Amino acid sequence: MNFRSVAAAFAASVVMPFTAVQAAELEVTHWWTSGGEAAAVAELAKAFDATGNKWVDGAIAGSGGTARPIMISRITGGDPMGATQFNHGRQAEELVQAGLMRDLTAVAEKERWREVVKPQSLLDSCTIDGKIYCAPVNIHSWQWLWLSNGAFEKAGVAVPTNWDEFVTAAPALEKAGIVPLAVGGQPWQAAGAFDVLMVAIAGKDTFYKVFKDKDADVAAGAEIAKVFKVADDARRMSKGTNVQDWNQATNMVISGKAGGQIMGDWAQGEFALAGQTAGKDYTCLPGLGVNEIISTGGDAFYFPVLKDEEKSKAQDVLAATLLAPATQVAFNLKKGSLPVRGDVDLAAANDCMKKGLDILARGNVIEGTDQLLSADSQKQKEDLFSEFFANPSITAEQAQKRFADIIASAD
């Protein structure tokens, strides 16, 4: 996509001062539309409105894969919003390079983001040519298996403590009319589940060799073959899910219609909204109970270049507000994610959040694939695993060969 000509059209008329702020309305686009997500977004809006400005909610139904093209089209087409959500990583890279996104370095320096944002990789993902272009708001880790305690009680088996026990329990769940593993139809869900399996089964070093070093030989090798074998088990266990959205799959676990779900920690927001308690109603296994490592991906807000001077000033206020300690606590407690600040009090965190915080404190972390792969390479991976989970005629060996080809050409 060519953004350069669009950028040139903006250049002459844009003013981006960093001075005193007057009240302004800012449209903020995002894809947080499930019940738990909406409750978390309301905390961000409340904090920004308290500054005298106005958050105009621009929620786009569907996943990030649905929302991002709409957001990008608006920005490149001359109809930018005040701020927009992307994931940490390279999703907005071309927009930044085209000059369509605000440089937030002055805000970051004033608010001491380099000192308080942990881990450093979060700001590194916002940094291009030494300048900071986004405000990270949370740490979302993919590496979780969520289990319905009630489903296992109904099936007459103990709640698993790791992936192998979960696979062993699958026949009892099926006999009780329960889908063992809920996997929704959105492509990113299947791809994310495979990434989680890779870290749990093959380990951190292999994960980085594949996604960071783009080593196609490793992707085609014996260690990844083991992962595909486990992914084949997951595919078999997910037969009968018959839902599309991730939160619908989560609701299957909440209602006991499914035994478990591999999903990021944002699933906690849905359990909380349903009034369920970690350790009592549901169980969470970081790293599938096999390898307690979490990814430090998540969400960040970018601020398109605007022609309106007052709105540009308000963008600075919003960026600072998103990382303010009180905002970080209120938002992340409802989102189920971890704060990006290392200096906030999360005494109210539930058992699962405390597990995540402990893993983070021990430094058992990896970067997310959004940080390691371009958006195009991610899309190819998503398409492969969406097809693999939906079509049992594709063998694990065939899927691995296609996966190795994707890694060989990945950027």
Side-chain angles (χ1 to χ4, degrees):
M1 190 179 296
N2 182 5
F3 298 127
R4 302 291 178 183
S5 58
V6 180
F10 279 88
S13 57
V14 174
V15 181
M16 296 184 293
F18 185 59
T19 55
V21 178
Q22 296 181 20
E25 292 187 352
L26 285 184
E27 180 191 8
V28 184
T29 56
H30 58 86
W31 57 83
W32 288 325
T33 56
S34 76
E37 290 173 326
V41 170
E43 295 294 337
L44 299 182
K46 182 168 66 175
F48 183 58
D49 289 353
T51 69
N53 295 286
K54 178 65 177 176
W55 174 294
V56 178
D57 202 66
I60 300 173
S63 66
T66 300
R68 279 190 296 273
I70 297 171
M71 297 164 174
I72 291 171
S73 178
R74 283 191 52 186
I75 295 167
T76 58
D79 182 28
M81 62 294 291
T84 189
Q85 172 196 7
F86 285 106
N87 295 121
H88 299 156
R90 301 174 59 185
Q91 293 174 352
E93 190 173 64
E94 289 185 331
L95 294 169
V96 170
Q97 292 170 343
L100 297 177
M101 290 297 189
R102 290 277 313 274
D103 174 3
L104 300 177
T105 306
V107 179
E109 290 177 350
K110 183 175 184 293
E111 300 295 323
R112 304 184 303 111
W113 288 359
R114 288 282 182 200
E115 298 175 36
V116 299
V117 173
K118 307 293 181 184
Q120 183 178 322
S121 61
L122 299 176
L123 273 186
D124 289 345
S125 293
C126 290
T127 304
I128 296 178
D129 296 331
K131 297 178 180 179
I132 296 172
Y133 286 93
C134 69
V137 294
N138 60 17
I139 300 169
H140 261 322
S141 54
W142 248 106
Q143 287 71 32
W144 297 84
L145 176 61
W146 307 94
L147 301 172
S148 166
N149 291 1
F152 288 94
E153 181 180 354
K154 180 180 177 181
V157 292
V159 177
T161 63
N162 58 50
W163 176 261
D164 288 340
E165 291 179 6
F166 180 47
V167 175
T168 300
L173 291 168
E174 291 171 334
K175 187 176 180 180
I178 298 167
V179 175
L181 180 67
V183 179
Q186 295 164 314
W188 62 269
Q189 295 183 57
F194 179 83
D195 295 346
V196 173
L197 290 168
M198 185 190 293
V199 176
I201 304 305
K204 178 178 180 178
D205 290 345
T206 299
F207 179 88
Y208 272 140
K209 285 176 183 176
V210 172
F211 291 125
K212 194 169 191 174
D213 300 338
K214 318 294 191 294
D215 191 325
D217 290 336
V218 174
E223 286 302 307
I224 300 303
K226 294 177 185 176
V227 180
F228 271 93
K229 171 60 174 67
V230 174
D232 192 30
D233 291 337
R235 172 172 63 176
R236 173 179 50 80
M237 293 164 63
S238 68
K239 183 180 179 181
T241 299
N242 296 329
V243 298
Q244 183 72 8
D245 294 342
W246 72 268
N247 53 305
Q248 293 175 316
T250 304
N251 189 62
M252 290 181 67
V253 180
I254 292 171
S255 62
K257 294 178 181 177
Q261 179 189 26
I262 297 174
M263 185 50 59
D265 54 10
W266 50 90
Q268 289 189 88
E270 303 305 303
F271 286 103
L273 196 67
Q276 294 204 349
T277 302
K280 176 186 174 184
D281 302 302
Y282 67 96
T283 296
C284 56
L285 298 180
L288 309 186
V290 177
N291 192 355
E292 288 196 347
I293 293 176
I294 62 174
S295 55
T296 55
D299 302 289
F301 280 89
Y302 287 77
F303 297 80
V305 170
L306 300 178
K307 300 178 181 179
D308 186 298
E309 182 176 348
E310 298 308 319
K311 289 183 182 295
S312 296
K313 294 175 182 177
Q315 286 178 317
D316 292 338
V317 176
L318 177 55
T321 301
L322 292 172
L323 271 78
T327 311
Q328 280 284 295
V329 171
F331 170 73
N332 284 293
L333 283 177
K334 290 193 175 177
K335 190 69 168 62
S337 47
L338 303 178
V340 300
R341 295 183 68 113
D343 61 347
V344 297
D345 180 12
L346 275 176
N350 68 20
D351 287 346
C352 295
M353 289 185 71
K354 287 176 181 175
K355 288 181 182 179
L357 288 167
D358 178 62
I359 294 169
L360 187 65
R362 287 186 274 128
N364 293 349
V365 299
I366 56 171
E367 295 170 83
T369 54
D370 281 319
Q371 296 167 283
L372 301 172
L373 297 176
S374 68
D376 180 63
S377 296
Q378 279 281 72
K379 179 64 166 58
Q380 292 179 52
K381 181 164 68 76
E382 289 178 358
D383 289 345
L384 167 61
F385 287 106
S386 176
E387 187 178 351
F388 176 72
F389 270 78
N391 185 357
S393 69
I394 301 174
T395 67
E397 293 77 15
Q398 290 170 333
Q400 184 178 3
K401 185 180 184 305
R402 287 174 57 183
F403 178 67
D405 289 341
I406 291 170
I407 296 303
S409 61
D411 58 355

